[in-house]
Amino acid sequence: MSTSRTPNAPPGAKPRRWILPLVMVVVAAVDWGLAAADEHDGKRGPCRLDGANSKIERLIYIQFDNTHFRRDNPNVPSDLEQMPSLLNFIRGNGTLLTNDHTILISHTAGSILSSLTGVYPDRHGQTVSNSYVRTSSSGAFSFPSSFGYWTDVVSATGTPTVPNMLTKEGRNAPAPWVPYTRVGCDVGAIAAANIVLENTGTGATGDVTKVFGTGSPQWNEAVTSASAPAGTAARAKAQTDFVGFAIHCAQGSPVCAAGQDDLLPEEPNGYTEFKGSSEPSRSTPS
């Protein structure tokens, strides 16, 4: 792979590799037992990101949407040049890869989901985003959003009900947090596509229904919030309380003790006795 300087690179850029970060997504896998263990006997908690003897204790993944390293106009600083602290951090602490390319068709949802899953869009279902077209048996069209919680389904008159995150075999795509929680790590996410709640819907395909269940206190809050006057704090309450934040916990993690069952009914090899939380106020810091 060539490491020569690319056209329209920032002046003075060294010929080295760079990572193009693809609003901002944060995903972190952490050892929930570490803090408590350190206080008592210095022993590590159960999270093992790279085997029993690994020294890796935390993994933080940050992804930026539509952030350019190269200049679109040679006389105008690039996106990263206009964020010098970020650019200098990457240069000083990471690897700059100048031959990285986004997926096609390139858009926010498809790019983030491919980064989280490690597979191209034809294998996670969002080949066209941020919305796509479904044709019904009568020839009518519907335009589902790509953004919905991982296990959400899409449904419209005259079309089959299928998972939004869909494999070529017609099943719900494997969830990206599972490899971490299975080895004892909690996975927290902020604004990361489809591994957090994306809406406050209380209908059959709404995220609040999917995660909390019809008739739950959270579902009732969302119903009340939706009926409040537009532009009020009450109208925004459910959005503020539930959307854009999630923790998917390892088995037995105290962080999600007050959370809900983290249900992935079509996950390969099964996924039971795991909990998650989409309410920051009900999560216990580690």
Side-chain angles (χ1 to χ4, degrees), residues 132-144 156-160:
Y132 53 96
V133 180
R134 298 191 77 198
T135 306
S136 74
S137 56
S138 65
F141 296 96
S142 60
F143 300 88
T157 302
T159 63

Side-chain angles (χ1 to χ4, degrees), residues 159-184:
T159 63
T161 298
V162 296
N164 186 46
M165 299 298 299
L166 183 69
T167 66
K168 63 182 181 180
E169 293 82 17
R171 299 180 63 83
N172 196 190
W177 63 85
V178 169
Y180 297 95
T181 56
R182 279 181 171 159
V183 294

Side-chain angles (χ1 to χ4, degrees), residues 152-155 161 199 201-207 209-210:
D152 277 2
V153 297
V154 289
S155 179
T161 298
N199 60 69
T202 53
T205 61
D207 282 5
T209 302
K210 175 65 68 174

Side-chain angles (χ1 to χ4, degrees), residues 8 20 36 52 69 73 99 102 142-143 181 200 215 218 229 232 256 258 266:
N8 294 335
L20 177 62
F69 173 75
N73 183 323
N99 194 30
T102 190
S142 60
F143 300 88
T181 56
T200 57
Q218 297 87 349
T232 64
C256 294
E266 295 190 5

